[in-house]
Amino acid sequence: MKIFVLTGAGVSAESGLGTFRDKDGVWTKYDLSEVATPEGFARNPALVRDFYNARRANLAAAEPNAAHVALARLEAALGDDLFLCTQNVDDLHEKAGSKRVVHMHGELAVTRCHHCQATRPDVGALTAEAVCAACGRDGGARPHVVWFGEMPLYMEEIEDALAEADLFVSIGTSGSVYPAAGFVSEARAMGIATCEINLEPSANAYVFDEKLYGPASEVVPAWVEKVLTQG
Ligand code: OAD
């Protein structure tokens, strides 16, 4: 059985990384148009770098939880029959042992040059003075994170994997940010079984065939156990 798993901020919530739209979520404290758009970066790059430097510091201290560990176990058992697509920019799936994670919204621990688009792994602080090793210019260091108004990454690979899947499972995501929020309807239209795992019903919960509600750290390991024992 080929399984396509989509994860969102809810899978990392119990690792201490904030979600976005919940009460006390990141977007209740920060104006996303200021810190998560190309226009915001052009207006005030220092504010944007400070925001992501704080998130890099939080990430350095975060550990994967039982949900990440269970998904790594599922990958170890299924190999290429598991496609793990995440909207998360954290590296907790990798820290838990997942090897083939597709980060459609980019990665926090990667720096991109806004001038030439060169990327490099980097967990240090983003600064205006940093000189890009590829183009030699300064002032362009930004996180390799997809901002609002930018195209998500790996969409062709993702669409191909979705079309091949027998089961689509959405874990800990609000169902309100496209294109990821549309995957469940695409899956349904292709006759693929769908399952939502979340703390509570998401915005598009009504589209899913199966719904499992509770903390990801409890529900995901139980679901993985069921898949591995019942097939
Ligand atoms: P949201 O913060 O919008 O939604 C988090 C979801 O996780 C909600 O549906 C919660 O009910 C659920 N949740 C919270 N705690 C949970 C737990 N312990 N177990 C299970 N579920 C839990 O995050 P996303 O939908 O992932 O994009 O956000 C999508 C995108 O919007 C992000 O990738 C980010 C953001 O703006 C960019 O920055 C481009």
Side-chain angles (χ1 to χ4, degrees):
M1 178 166 65
K2 283 186 178 291
I3 304 179
F4 185 118
V5 169
L6 170 71
T7 62
V11 82
S12 296
E14 292 162 84
S15 294
L17 299 179
T19 55
F20 294 97
R21 290 169 191 77
D22 297 310
K23 188 173 78 64
D24 302 327
V26 175
W27 298 148
T28 66
K29 297 181 195 129
Y30 295 90
D31 180 346
L32 71 83
S33 69
E34 296 300 329
V35 298
T37 62
E39 295 77 17
F41 185 62
R43 271 194 303 273
N44 192 345
L47 177 80
V48 175
R49 289 194 184 101
D50 285 351
F51 172 75
Y52 285 101
N53 286 341
R55 299 197 68 207
R56 279 187 174 179
N58 290 345
L59 182 55
E63 293 296 331
N65 64 56
H68 299 103
V69 172
L71 290 170
R73 180 177 169 225
L74 188 63
E75 183 193 84
L78 297 186
D80 287 338
D81 283 349
L82 176 71
F83 188 87
L84 179 53
C85 175
T86 187
Q87 296 166 89
N88 297 343
V89 297
D90 67 54
D91 57 2
L92 297 184
H93 284 305
E94 287 89 346
K95 277 189 185 162
S98 289
K99 306 244 181 306
R100 312 171 183 84
V101 188
V102 175
H103 284 271
M104 66 180 291
H105 288 168
E107 291 168 82
L108 190 56
V110 174
T111 292
R112 190 198 314 167
C113 173
H114 201 53
H115 304 305
C116 74
Q117 309 306 318
T119 56
R120 65 186 167 87
D122 182 20
V123 289
L126 296 156
T127 65
E129 295 74 32
V131 174
C132 172
C135 72
R137 297 173 66 185
D138 64 11
R142 59 165 280 184
H144 182 45
V145 164
V146 173
W147 286 330
F148 290 89
E150 296 181 328
M151 286 296 286
L153 308 173
Y154 313 112
M155 284 310 295
E156 214 175 298
E157 192 182 338
I158 289 168
E159 293 291 349
D160 287 351
L162 189 57
E164 281 180 12
D166 301 300
L167 173 64
F168 169 76
V169 184
S170 175
I171 303 175
T173 180
S174 58
S176 56
V177 177
Y178 285 81
F183 292 171
V184 61
S185 299
E186 285 182 52
R188 282 289 294 257
M190 293 186 284
I192 297 164
T194 58
C195 173
E196 161 162 284
I197 297 178
N198 202 308
L199 204 50
E200 55 191 36
S202 70
N204 53 9
Y206 64 93
V207 188
F208 288 86
D209 302 312
E210 187 184 5
K211 304 152 216 250
L212 303 170
Y213 296 121
S217 67
E218 294 172 18
V219 181
V220 176
W223 171 74
V224 166
E225 184 65 31
K226 192 173 143 225
V227 169
L228 294 180
T229 52
Q230 296 175 8

